[in-house]
Amino acid sequence: MAEIVLKNINKRWGTFIGVKDFDLTIADREFLVLLGPSGCGKTTTMRMIAGLEDPTEGDILIDGKRVNDMEPKDRDIAMVFQSYGLYPNMNVYENIRFPLKVRKVPEAEHKERVMRASAMVELDEFLHRKPAALSGGQRQRVALARAIVREPNVFLMDEPLSNLDAKLRVSTRAQIKNLSHELKVTMIYVTHDQIEAMTLADRVVVMEKGIVQQVGTPTEIYDNPANTFVASFIGNPAMNLIEGEIRDGVFSAPNITVSRLSAADGKVTLGFRAEDAAMTDGDGEVSAPVYSMELLGDATMVTVRSGSSLMAIKAGKEYRSEIGAQVKASVPASICHLFDTASGARL
């Protein structure tokens, strides 16, 4: 059992605010992802949970026990970092075994626990190798196994995939997802990669400048972003965001007019997802010249311009057009999101 409660956590260095008013309960066995750009406070939050940073204000509770003054080694937490942190003079077996030696676990248990952790991340054939003879993906798996062997209540992972190439990132991501299912422990995972967040998380915390912007399941955050920051950060491509004006339920901006919107007259930002819109041969809410065409294999991404903004629209893989050609797209009111232009908040 490892429920983690963060109560009104603040972290400041002088006048600089790293994390502000962070309140959250992380359920036992939940996979929580802290997501945001560099410098948003996600790693600082994780380091406070681990005990590597002290909160300026607020309480951190693990299983109902306040741990603010508890040493990191006493919090029953294992961390996996972006840098693998392996001992170059030890082989894989000894690297995985090291936490057991430090914690004075009876030696009779070592082999069984190391082999179990190694099997979970498919390292059995590399146990005799030194880290220098391993690929980046294999080294990251050694770091994972070294955390697993401790059998902690909580796993903290700080951008563990960012040093891997794209293909390895996909396979290691699947491995981490499977591990969370197998180990049945609480996992907190830090990343700036929204695809990792969407594929791994039970819940996502989106952060910017030390402030929580939205907390929810990947589906909730994708379908109902709380503001333009979340809308622009989640999704590949990000949600189209067009500044314009509403008059009598009709939104107008260069090259786009959408009717039947229920919002007060005035300036608004209209958002829609590329996959929700559709290219059309007939009438459409968008009429604009093609800015670029990208063939994605399973689809074609058509980009057109609205004033200074670009709009991406996903078409079928067989769709073809020329740059500069006038095209039309359907953007019905039912797929649109409206945001306050000044504050960015969802209307």
Side-chain angles (χ1 to χ4, degrees):
M1 169 83 180
E3 179 188 79
I4 299 171
V5 179
L6 305 175
K7 288 187 176 177
N8 193 34
I9 297 295
N10 288 270
K11 180 65 179 177
R12 291 188 299 274
W13 292 273
T15 58
F16 178 78
I17 297 171
V19 177
K20 185 177 181 184
D21 299 334
F22 195 117
D23 269 298
L24 188 69
T25 297
I26 303 160
D28 179 40
R29 302 185 180 184
E30 181 174 18
F31 198 128
L32 184 93
V33 173
L34 300 174
L35 174 69
S38 296
C40 73
K42 55 191 188 296
T43 296
T44 301
T45 302
M46 174 178 278
R47 287 175 64 82
M48 287 189 284
I49 294 168
L52 302 175
E53 297 275 0
D54 294 324
T56 310
E57 290 157 8
D59 293 321
I60 300 169
L61 288 81
I62 299 178
D63 291 343
K65 184 190 294 182
R66 186 177 182 273
V67 298
N68 290 46
D69 304 318
M70 197 179 279
E71 288 291 316
K73 65 183 175 62
D74 300 324
R75 296 190 185 194
D76 200 13
I77 281 172
M79 282 195 80
V80 180
F81 296 96
Q82 178 179 349
S83 59
Y84 317 121
L86 304 181
Y87 299 102
N89 58 320
M90 296 181 187
N91 64 19
V92 169
Y93 181 93
E94 289 300 329
N95 263 286
I96 296 172
R97 186 166 84 108
F98 189 74
L100 302 179
K101 290 167 70 177
V102 169
R103 281 165 182 75
K104 298 184 169 52
V105 172
E107 203 151 320
E109 296 178 29
H110 287 199
K111 184 167 185 181
E112 183 196 343
R113 284 174 66 169
V114 170
M115 296 310 291
R116 188 164 66 235
S118 165
M120 279 186 175
V121 292
E122 299 170 14
L123 278 173
D124 290 356
E125 61 186 287
F126 304 107
L127 290 173
H128 63 285
R129 291 195 191 177
K130 298 275 180 73
L134 301 175
S135 69
Q138 288 161 350
R139 289 180 204 176
Q140 190 56 274
R141 283 189 276 152
V142 177
L144 282 169
R146 191 174 56 191
I148 292 165
V149 81
R150 284 186 51 192
E151 298 176 0
N153 271 333
V154 181
F155 270 87
L156 304 180
M157 298 193 180
D158 189 6
E159 308 234 19
L161 308 184
S162 56
N163 288 341
L164 306 183
D165 64 39
K167 188 177 177 183
L168 264 177
R169 205 172 292 152
V170 172
S171 59
T172 312
R173 195 170 70 215
Q175 212 155 28
I176 289 171
K177 183 76 171 177
N178 185 261
L179 273 177
S180 73
H181 175 76
E182 293 283 319
L183 296 170
K184 295 180 172 58
V185 295
T186 307
M187 287 202 178
I188 303 172
Y189 187 104
V190 161
T191 183
H192 63 270
D193 185 322
Q194 49 94 15
I195 294 174
E196 284 177 31
M198 298 293 285
T199 52
L200 290 172
D202 295 323
R203 280 193 304 162
V204 180
V205 178
V206 185
M207 299 181 70
E208 187 198 21
K209 295 178 181 173
I211 297 169
V212 174
Q213 303 294 314
Q214 187 170 1
V215 181
T217 66
T219 304
E220 287 166 354
I221 284 176
Y222 189 84
D223 290 345
N224 297 295
N227 53 42
T228 50
F229 174 80
V230 177
S232 65
F233 203 79
I234 297 284
N236 186 23
M239 183 180 284
N240 296 300
L241 295 169
I242 315 299
E243 291 185 13
E245 206 162 343
I246 284 190
R247 285 279 175 269
D248 300 324
V250 178
F251 173 87
S252 300
N255 303 104
I256 177 169
T257 304
V258 181
S259 306
R260 299 196 183 99
L261 293 166
S262 46
D265 288 358
K267 290 187 175 179
V268 297
T269 297
L270 179 134
F272 66 91
R273 296 270 180 207
E275 66 272 21
D276 293 336
M279 304 306 297
T280 177
D281 293 327
D283 293 335
E285 285 75 15
V286 171
S287 178
V290 173
Y291 179 79
S292 75
M293 290 263 300
E294 298 167 273
L295 307 182
L296 306 177
D298 64 335
T300 303
M301 195 66 71
V302 184
T303 303
V304 299
R305 192 183 276 285
S306 170
S308 60
S309 301
L310 296 176
M311 295 183 282
I313 297 153
K314 209 173 206 181
K317 61 182 179 181
E318 68 291 329
Y319 183 88
R320 295 291 180 272
S321 187
E322 298 293 327
I323 290 179
Q326 195 76 13
V327 295
K328 293 193 174 182
S330 168
V331 183
S334 59
I335 71 164
C336 293
H337 306 254
L338 295 176
F339 303 92
D340 181 272
T341 300
S343 68
R346 185 182 189 84
L347 295 174

